[in-house]
Amino acid sequence: MKKLSLLTVIVLAVVVSLSSCNKKSKFEQVDISSVKIDQKLYRFDKDLFSIPPDSIGDKVPYLVKKYDGFFELFTNQIIRIGSPYDKDFADRLNAFVTDYVVKKTYEYSAKKYKDFTPVYNDLNKAFRYYKYYFPEKDVPDIYTFISGFNTAIATDSNILGIGLDFYLGKDFEFYPQLALPYYIIRKMEPYMILPDAMRGWLTMEFPPDDSVNTLLANMIYGGKIQYLMEAIMPFVDDTVKFGYTKDQMEWCKENEEPMWTYLVDKKLLYKTDRLIIKKFVDEAPFTIPFGRKSPPKTGIWIGYRIVSKYMSKHPNITLRQLMAEKNYQKILIMSSYRPG
């Protein structure tokens, strides 16, 4: 075996280094250092549970004033106890904060999220990317809350709410009592706050075209959301953005061609039957037609691959144009998608 000269070794090292740099995605190369956003964090959970139960009635006006639209969203839609202006509202709110499970859950979350800054910083970073691509869009304030296991992510105009009780770690003592399957509990971890929150916000900002409800439309719409998440969260691993394990992600890559062949051969792409669509795009332990080793939502993974090919073939198309495009058949054709 010939020995390499020092000069050859140096040249090879430079080539490898340059190759590694070139592998950096276009999204990772975006500079957001000059992007500034005004985004506040409200620890509503701490504020609410710090009120002595016998003072709840006196503090309702304070909560209404400080939290404005979020407080009504919380009481009406999240914990569903009605309007703050109802006569017996204080009693209902008091019953909620003094419930044994709710109170213990808050106490646990208060310790786990004593400092929410690391999570907030990641959310803020993602929204700076979001603002970079969509400068005309508003950025929501962040609200943390305990929902009584009702809601993980809540969105409204300028509001992004995060139910901390859904992100206490898969070993949290009360989760088994909820009778949730393991594939759900597995992802009730702090690291899932960011992708869940951003997906919740993006699906509100860019809703699907309900006039077209085929499997293909659902796949490509989900793929568009995933592609946008890749753009605004380039600092997050793909497995986290998809909610997959590494093995599940590898399974998708290895089985992309047979999955696509199955969908085409079975003539499923243009099916409108919701039961069929759910098998490929909804949360589940696995994708039933593809067997127990497959991950769930493989239809969305394929949709993401189609959208990625579409954007790669047409580099002049902006993210704004992508999200505005509701002709899913056009995206498929113009992508010239071929598995692999």
Side-chain angles (χ1 to χ4, degrees):
M1 184 180 291
K2 294 181 179 179
K3 291 184 179 180
L4 297 176
S5 69
L6 179 60
L7 178 59
T8 304
V9 170
I10 292 173
V11 170
L12 285 173
V14 170
V15 169
V16 171
S17 176
L18 288 174
S19 297
S20 298
C21 291
N22 290 336
K23 287 181 181 178
K24 208 172 186 181
S25 78
K26 63 180 179 179
F27 299 129
E28 291 176 292
Q29 296 173 36
V30 169
D31 181 9
I32 61 167
S33 59
S34 62
V35 179
K36 309 298 180 186
I37 61 174
D38 180 21
Q39 185 176 56
K40 298 180 180 63
L41 170 65
Y42 293 98
R43 293 302 306 268
F44 173 75
D45 52 321
K46 288 187 174 182
D47 221 357
L48 176 61
F49 285 89
S50 67
I51 300 172
D54 57 2
S55 300
I56 285 284
D58 296 333
K59 289 292 185 178
V60 167
Y62 156 78
L63 293 171
V64 169
K65 183 177 180 180
K66 180 174 180 179
Y67 291 101
D68 194 24
F70 174 76
F71 189 58
E72 291 208 41
L73 174 69
F74 177 74
T75 61
N76 274 312
Q77 297 183 35
I78 296 174
I79 63 171
R80 300 168 195 159
I81 62 170
S83 168
Y85 304 104
D86 291 347
K87 186 175 65 173
D88 57 350
F89 174 80
D91 292 336
R92 282 181 251 153
L93 184 58
N94 183 63
F96 174 77
V97 299
T98 57
D99 177 88
Y100 176 79
V101 172
V102 171
K103 186 178 178 182
K104 287 295 182 182
T105 299
Y106 166 70
E107 290 171 355
Y108 186 89
S109 73
K111 293 176 182 176
K112 194 170 189 70
Y113 293 104
K114 182 177 181 180
D115 181 12
F116 195 73
T117 305
V119 182
Y120 170 72
N121 286 343
D122 282 345
L123 286 163
N124 189 266
K125 186 176 182 180
F127 274 108
R128 286 166 64 207
Y129 276 101
Y130 175 72
K131 194 71 172 176
Y132 173 88
Y133 292 110
F134 302 96
E136 77 285 0
K137 292 282 190 180
D138 291 330
V139 169
D141 289 328
I142 310 295
Y143 297 79
T144 59
F145 60 86
I146 297 297
S147 73
F149 306 111
N150 285 310
T151 303
I153 302 296
T155 59
D156 202 349
S157 176
N158 298 315
I159 291 173
L160 176 55
I162 298 166
L164 297 182
D165 43 338
F166 279 84
Y167 302 99
L168 298 178
K170 63 180 183 294
D171 297 323
F172 178 56
E173 61 176 313
F174 291 136
Y175 286 166
Q177 298 176 29
L178 301 176
L180 294 173
Y182 178 74
Y183 71 87
I184 296 291
I185 293 178
R186 177 184 71 80
K187 293 189 284 188
M188 297 173 79
E189 296 279 354
Y191 71 84
M192 287 302 297
I193 291 178
L194 178 61
D196 285 357
M198 297 312 299
R199 185 179 289 104
W201 182 257
L202 295 178
T203 52
M204 184 192 77
E205 287 288 280
F206 304 100
D209 179 6
D210 290 336
S211 66
V212 183
N213 195 29
T214 61
L215 173 58
L216 178 67
N218 280 266
M219 288 168 56
I220 293 183
Y221 170 74
K224 285 167 59 175
I225 295 295
Q226 285 295 152
Y227 188 83
L228 185 49
M229 287 179 65
E230 181 181 10
I232 65 176
M233 294 192 297
F235 54 95
V236 176
D237 193 88
D238 285 345
T239 57
V240 175
K241 283 178 282 197
F242 275 92
Y244 283 173
T245 63
K246 288 183 178 180
D247 287 345
Q248 287 177 325
M249 184 64 80
E250 283 305 310
W251 191 96
C252 284
K253 292 176 181 178
E254 292 171 4
N255 291 276
E256 182 177 2
E257 185 173 356
M259 284 194 292
W260 179 249
T261 301
Y262 178 91
L263 294 174
V264 173
D265 287 351
K266 297 291 184 180
K267 298 180 172 58
L268 297 176
L269 293 176
Y270 302 101
K271 294 290 186 182
T272 58
D273 186 332
R274 183 59 196 161
L275 291 178
I276 292 175
I277 294 171
K278 282 168 64 69
K279 291 179 182 179
F280 297 97
V281 302
D282 279 11
E283 196 60 79
F286 54 89
T287 302
I288 294 174
F290 297 149
R292 290 183 173 275
K293 291 185 178 179
S294 67
K297 302 188 294 184
T298 49
I300 290 177
W301 188 84
I302 294 174
Y304 161 78
R305 293 285 293 153
I306 293 170
V307 171
S308 296
K309 290 285 180 70
Y310 171 74
M311 294 299 282
S312 177
K313 274 194 161 292
H314 307 281
N316 293 329
I317 294 177
T318 65
L319 284 175
R320 184 185 291 104
Q321 290 171 324
L322 171 66
M323 301 314 292
E325 180 59 75
K326 301 294 178 69
N327 189 333
Y328 304 117
Q329 180 69 20
K330 174 183 173 183
I331 291 175
L332 174 62
I333 292 171
M334 291 181 64
S335 74
S336 301
Y337 173 70
R338 294 291 182 274

